[in-house]
Amino acid sequence: MPESTWLEDLGRYINPGIARAYSFLGVLSPEVRAEGAFVYDAAGERYTDMGGGYGVMVHGYLHPRIVARAKAQLDKIALPSRSLPVLEPIALARRLAEITPGALQYSFFCNSGAEANEAALKFARARTGRATFVSTHGAFHGKTFGALSVSGRDLYKDPFRPLLADVRLVPYGDADALRAAVDDTVAGVILEPIQGEGGVIVPPDGYLRAAREICDAHGAMLIFDEVQSGMGRTGHYFACEYENVAPDFLTVSKALGGGIMPIGACVSTPDAVGFLDEMPLIHTSTFGGGGGGGAPLATAVACEAIDVMRDEDFCGQAVSKGAFLADGLRSIQREFPEVISEVRGRGLMLGLETAREGVGGMLMSELLHRRVLALWTLNNERVLRMIPPIVIPLEALEEVLRNIREAAAEVALVAADL
Ligand code: PMP
């Protein structure tokens, strides 16, 4: 019997639909190695990852300082007994308290963005004794039951209903709609300071501040989900700093693991998690934390990730490289308005709105042929994301822009007939 190929095995043992999608896109070789902003497939082809590993790779793949820290930690302790305390999570929590805005201070560690949001939702209920949540259309907070319940796309929700019952969804960026939805029964309002999967939507100035005021007026908790927008990508450590607004709970994941480890965190103000004093084990997780736990390997790596972000001025780099990329993309948009209708975002969190249905897929496929990995958005099929590693060299961005121009020209030939 001939050996099956990796694509057949992917279809047979993991997910047939995904295997079909790779086949359709013409992906014939798996990735086997990566470095900085570049991924290499088994045939030795180099790709520039403008999707940054779905937003994880703010530091790029295998940043040397972060790899060194992981290796050193592996020689000491990776996972704890959980009977004695460990130091690395404490050091990380202290750093997070220092870099997050306002009074945010207490960290609960976990393994993913969805879990960080689960913690925030549960904490908001425990703090307020209320059940209702308010979220927004197009929101993406993860695919566990709670996080899914407050997400904004029915496609991912319908097969799993009933979800959390008391969820009100309002249009994103509309402070009046938010005001109308929040009353004294609301435990929390959950918002992405820039919607990622919704299509890289930057809210109008004043929206986050209005959300803060509305929550305060009703005793509701404000949760900012910075799982995608956090960690320097937008030009601030956290996107909510643009409006100088601090939430009661801030969730972070993706880039926190420095491109090496899965980790998430829910950072809370002392007031928002006062109940931990009496109930220290109310919300815990074996690999994540709570109750003094936390994984030494993941949290040591995350400490290094934060230090690298500071030492290498990721915020400054995101601003200058983001401006360069956005300028280039806007000039392509002016040349091919039938392909790209808008370029928006902050820093190196940019979205390309394509001019009509179907164009995004074609553009992605043309880019793939030119060895550029772009990313769609899960809740808005017309938008492609550019969220590359912050360490991406300027010359690589120039090359990407040349490739996008060529790809757009190719798509323009057929876009008019769609
Ligand atoms: N929140 C936001 C804003 C996200 O973008 C994502 C993932 N794209 C999540 C939560 C969920 O994170 P995870 O996939 O790690 O559960």
Side-chain angles (χ1 to χ4, degrees):
M1 273 242 304
E3 257 187 60
S4 59
T5 66
W6 63 270
L7 195 59
E8 284 163 359
D9 281 356
L10 172 62
R12 191 172 300 134
Y13 300 117
I14 295 187
N15 188 324
I18 294 287
R20 267 198 311 280
Y22 279 132
S23 226
F24 177 75
L25 279 170
V27 176
L28 298 174
S29 193
E31 68 189 40
V32 291
R33 156 173 105 73
E35 186 184 25
F38 306 108
V39 170
Y40 298 82
D41 72 12
E45 289 285 347
R46 189 184 88 160
Y47 297 78
T48 306
D49 187 7
M50 294 302 286
Y54 274 74
V56 167
M57 297 298 160
V58 161
H59 304 76
Y61 291 85
L62 300 181
H63 189 289
R65 259 180 70 181
I66 302 175
V67 171
R69 181 68 187 264
K71 286 183 173 167
Q73 186 64 37
L74 272 175
D75 285 333
K76 294 192 283 184
I77 183 170
L79 289 171
S81 69
R82 294 183 57 80
S83 297
L84 303 177
V86 276
L87 298 179
E88 293 80 3
I90 301 171
L92 178 59
R94 188 184 177 127
R95 275 177 179 73
L96 283 170
E98 282 164 9
I99 66 167
T100 48
L104 292 165
Q105 179 178 334
Y106 284 91
S107 281
F108 166 79
F109 295 120
C110 52
N111 310 289
S112 68
E115 277 178 274
N117 287 326
E118 291 295 330
L121 296 172
K122 284 182 69 185
F123 291 168
R125 278 196 168 177
R127 164 66 176 74
T128 60
R130 304 171 182 174
T132 304
F133 291 105
V134 177
S135 181
T136 53
H137 296 302
F140 190 95
H141 299 297
K143 288 178 179 169
T144 50
F145 270 108
L148 185 63
S149 300
V150 293
S151 289
R153 193 175 185 198
D154 286 335
L155 176 73
Y156 297 122
K157 298 168 82 168
D158 284 342
F160 306 105
R161 293 186 194 279
L163 298 168
L164 286 183
D166 308 311
V167 175
R168 299 172 188 164
L169 290 181
V170 295
Y172 183 74
D174 181 342
D176 290 335
L178 193 61
R179 196 169 289 111
V182 178
D183 55 29
D184 290 356
T185 68
V186 170
V189 171
I190 182 164
L191 294 174
E192 294 159 83
I194 297 178
Q195 271 194 346
E197 307 295 339
V200 189
I201 316 280
V202 181
D205 276 348
Y207 180 61
L208 302 179
R209 177 150 302 286
R212 178 72 275 176
E213 285 162 10
I214 292 164
C215 285
D216 288 346
H218 293 281
M221 298 285 102
L222 181 59
I223 304 166
F224 283 159
D225 175 347
E226 296 252 14
V227 166
Q228 190 164 147
S229 56
M231 303 287 290
R233 174 167 293 294
T234 65
H236 279 293
Y237 284 169
F238 299 100
C240 63
E241 292 172 63
Y242 272 97
E243 282 197 36
N244 226 341
V245 179
D248 301 290
F249 301 104
L250 183 142
T251 56
V252 58
S253 184
K254 292 195 189 281
L256 183 62
I260 307 249
M261 291 300 297
I263 184 169
C266 172
V267 192
S268 316
T269 65
D271 170 69
V273 287
F275 54 85
L276 288 180
D277 216 24
E278 296 288 312
M279 300 185 286
L281 299 179
I282 195 72
H283 187 70
T284 57
S285 136
T286 300
F287 290 129
L297 179 58
T299 50
V301 160
C303 284
E304 195 68 24
I306 289 176
D307 293 353
V308 166
M309 181 173 84
R310 182 197 56 217
D311 296 348
E312 298 187 6
D313 186 22
F314 274 13
C315 293
Q317 288 198 55
V319 170
S320 58
K321 291 178 183 174
F324 176 80
L325 182 61
D327 278 356
L329 291 172
R330 290 204 173 99
S331 102
I332 299 171
Q333 177 213 337
R334 282 191 295 274
E335 218 175 309
F336 302 104
E338 66 279 43
V339 179
I340 299 171
S341 55
E342 195 188 359
V343 176
R344 55 175 180 254
R346 280 200 166 122
L348 277 179
M349 182 170 181
L350 297 173
L352 302 186
E353 174 113 18
T354 53
R356 66 185 76 180
E357 211 83 2
V359 165
M362 285 163 53
L363 195 59
M364 254 185 81
S365 156
E366 288 293 336
L367 287 172
L368 185 67
H369 292 147
R370 290 169 175 79
R371 308 288 178 247
V372 175
L373 304 178
L375 204 59
W376 56 69
T377 51
L378 286 175
N379 289 352
N380 188 338
E381 271 140 23
R382 274 180 52 181
V383 179
L384 292 192
R385 260 176 303 174
M386 299 276 149
I387 48 174
I390 286 181
V391 298
I392 190 168
L394 265 186
E395 310 79 69
L397 285 179
E398 281 168 1
E399 194 186 312
V400 163
L401 285 168
R402 276 196 298 278
N403 280 310
I404 296 177
R405 175 168 278 114
E406 273 180 39
E410 204 65 44
V411 173
L413 295 175
V414 282
D417 301 329
L418 280 181

